[in-house]
Amino acid sequence: MGPARILNVDDYGPGRYARSKMLRQFGFEVQEAANGTEALLKVANKPDVVLLDINMPDLDGLEVCRRIKGNPATSNIIVLHLSASKVNSIDRVIGLNNGADSYLTEPIEPEVLAATVRALIRARRAEDALRRSNQDLRELTHLLSHDLREPLRAITVYAELLDKSFGGRLNAAERQYLDFTLSGARHMNEVIEGVLVFSRTMHEGFVAVDVPAGDALRAACSELELSLKESGAQVSVGSLPVVRANMAALTRVFSNLLSNSVKYAGDAAPRISITAEAVGGSCKFTVRDHGIGIEPEYHRAIFEPFKRLHGKEIAGVGIGLSLCRRLIEAQGGQMWVESEAGQGSSFFFTLPQAGPDERAGGPTDLASRRSAQ
Ligand code: ADP
């Protein structure tokens, strides 16, 4: 990697010259622009960092930054605002809100400027590497899952055909071999589907709006109608508020939690209650069951992808809770569990209360949101 490239933008010639000279002494490669218009032309050369004076006669630095960050071709370039005085602290706020990466006020020690530029570049490179590896991982997951699906489908279909044609004539050992093949193939199919659902949901953009939580719960209950009925589940529901959330995501959370309460109910019919209360500016939901419970040492692990505390005796691939937690976090909430073995489990999650909140209003990409944390 060559020296970091800096575009030094300042309408005051002597100051610009001195700064460029100093930056070159620190090993940076420096280009100059004497005004905002020239700066916007030169960002096309993709410098690593733009040092941007705020006060300039044609386009001021704040507007130049807004345009750099507003253009997808240049939005990734680091902008470091330099201000000649401390007088306008509001400029600092506007600059950072416009997307500037940092802001320094004169007088700036040369070492401080050089170290700040290096730190910003380090952070940006780490972020870029993370974004690339996220993207690679996503493509690999997609490729693997799709490439595995076809041969697996063939194994399942032909094993089922064998079962149909010869199933009645197999001896005990042969019967067992075929059963292992079939159940292994079916489980692998569930895992692949799980990986695909997980990866798709993580990269789905969704919009949060005011959602009556009761509607999401009703949708989840109707998805699970059959298993709730078959298991004889009793579901009691308190008064549920309107929250700032995404309907599909909230439905999935309820659906995963309810289906777990049914799966892990133990010997008795499932008894499940869903309640909510206001806590600060959030709503805290509780999904409580009276099932087999979870020993405290596993409370963290169960939220990790593909972590299960059970074998094949209970169906599942171990992505439900990790997906739930990520969905809740992406909507600005938190999720956790309280439980003891044999004492049932209470799953809690929070969501912002309904109402205007610009943070929750836009599309959310779970992957980028996580990598930004
Ligand atoms: P899956 O149910 O497919 O295994 P999850 O991610 O939903 O995946 O759950 C992870 C693990 O947490 C489960 O394997 C189970 O051991 C435990 N678990 C989840 N929900 C409950 C519950 N309501 N009661 C007891 N154990 C639970």
Side-chain angles (χ1 to χ4, degrees), residues 160-373:
E160 279 169 355
L161 283 176
L162 276 178
D163 192 12
K164 228 180 200 171
S165 307
F166 302 105
R169 286 181 263 160
L170 300 178
N171 66 32
E174 291 163 346
R175 176 75 259 161
Q176 205 179 30
Y177 301 155
L178 194 56
D179 285 346
F180 283 158
T181 309
L182 278 167
S183 70
R186 283 176 191 139
H187 181 67
M188 199 165 161
N189 197 42
E190 280 175 17
V191 172
I192 290 175
E193 288 304 318
V195 171
L196 281 175
V197 168
F198 190 78
S199 145
R200 211 179 298 130
T201 312
M202 293 305 294
H203 297 95
E204 221 164 61
F206 60 66
V207 175
V209 292
D210 287 353
V211 173
D215 288 0
L217 180 63
R218 261 186 295 283
C221 287
S222 81
E223 255 176 42
L224 298 172
E225 193 178 352
L226 195 65
S227 75
L228 289 171
K229 215 179 240 168
E230 277 178 0
S231 62
Q234 283 174 27
V235 181
S236 73
V237 183
S239 141
L240 299 185
V242 177
V243 284
R244 194 84 181 157
N246 174 272
M247 180 70 179
L250 184 54
T251 304
R252 184 177 276 279
V253 169
F254 277 131
S255 159
N256 281 345
L257 292 179
L258 287 176
S259 105
N260 279 351
S261 295
V262 171
K263 281 198 302 189
Y264 303 107
D267 294 333
R271 274 189 299 135
I272 311 163
S273 71
I274 299 108
T275 52
E277 59 185 307
V279 176
S282 299
C283 296
K284 178 175 142 196
F285 291 83
T286 307
V287 177
R288 162 112 183 100
D289 66 43
H290 298 266
I292 60 175
I294 305 159
E295 286 178 30
E297 63 185 288
Y298 298 116
H299 288 185
R300 185 190 282 264
I302 56 169
F303 289 101
E304 288 169 21
F306 302 103
K307 282 277 160 55
R308 303 199 69 214
L309 307 182
H310 294 88
K312 281 189 224 150
E313 73 283 2
I314 302 183
V317 291
I319 59 159
L321 289 179
S322 58
L323 208 55
C324 286
R325 180 179 265 181
R326 281 163 168 77
L327 288 170
I328 291 297
E329 286 176 353
Q331 294 170 94
Q334 288 179 313
M335 184 168 200
W336 68 100
V337 67
E338 283 175 13
S339 179
E340 295 279 346
Q343 304 291 310
S345 309
S346 293
F347 284 87
F348 301 97
F349 63 89
T350 58
L351 283 172
Q353 281 176 357
D357 180 347
E358 58 187 41
R359 282 166 310 153
T364 312
D365 178 324
L366 301 194
S368 59
R369 181 143 181 168
R370 283 190 68 72
S371 67
Q373 280 168 359

